[in-house]
Amino acid sequence: FDYASIDYRFLEDITNLSRYWSKGFEEPYILFKNIPVPKKAVDIGGSFDAHTLKISLPNIGFLKFKVPTEVVKPFNTNELTRINVIGRVVMNEFAGKKSLQVFIQDFEVVGSQAFYF
């Protein structure tokens, strides 16, 4: 999916199938392309070379564990970073609120801007 044309209802439908994932009917991995990530949407936690990368965008969040320092550097140094992500979509529920979340399998930085208004 190109990020600009994501159908969130389709992603919710995928999460509703989660009870059926098994051998022979594996959980799908989805490629999200050209995701604009403003610096203010990024939360980086953890220690040296074991960071947690959390990206909170409208309608969807992205999460990856054990990310090396060098890999999270673009998110700290640029006001906007564009990425491609491959991951699994889940429905996260916290304090009674549901939201779409993608567990990142892998991602690549495809562009960045030092300034973003």
Side-chain angles (χ1 to χ4, degrees):
F1 295 101
D2 187 273
Y3 181 76
S5 62
I6 290 177
D7 181 348
Y8 295 102
R9 286 177 297 190
F10 175 72
L11 296 178
E12 288 176 11
D13 289 344
I14 289 173
T15 67
N16 291 331
L17 296 172
S18 65
R19 63 180 167 252
Y20 301 112
W21 305 147
S22 64
K23 188 170 175 98
F25 192 59
E26 281 82 20
E27 183 174 13
Y29 284 82
I30 298 175
L31 173 63
F32 298 90
K33 296 177 77 176
N34 201 26
I35 304 168
V37 182
K39 189 175 186 177
K40 65 183 179 186
V42 177
D43 183 23
I44 300 169
S47 60
F48 183 74
D49 280 351
H51 298 288
T52 299
L53 173 63
K54 182 178 180 183
I55 301 169
S56 301
L57 298 175
N59 302 315
I60 195 164
F62 295 86
L63 186 64
K64 180 153 179 71
F65 299 101
K66 298 182 181 177
V67 182
T69 301
E70 193 62 32
V71 175
V72 296
K73 196 175 195 176
F75 297 103
N76 285 328
T77 57
N78 297 300
E79 287 300 316
L80 181 78
T81 304
R82 292 192 179 277
I83 61 174
N84 292 338
V85 166
I86 189 162
R88 300 177 296 112
V89 179
V90 298
M91 185 61 72
N92 183 33
E93 186 170 350
F94 182 73
K97 184 181 176 190
K98 292 183 177 183
S99 60
L100 287 169
Q101 188 172 52
V102 175
F103 285 110
I104 299 171
Q105 177 70 28
D106 200 6
F107 72 94
E108 66 178 342
V109 174
V110 292
S112 60
Q113 294 174 219
F115 301 101
Y116 176 67
F117 302 99

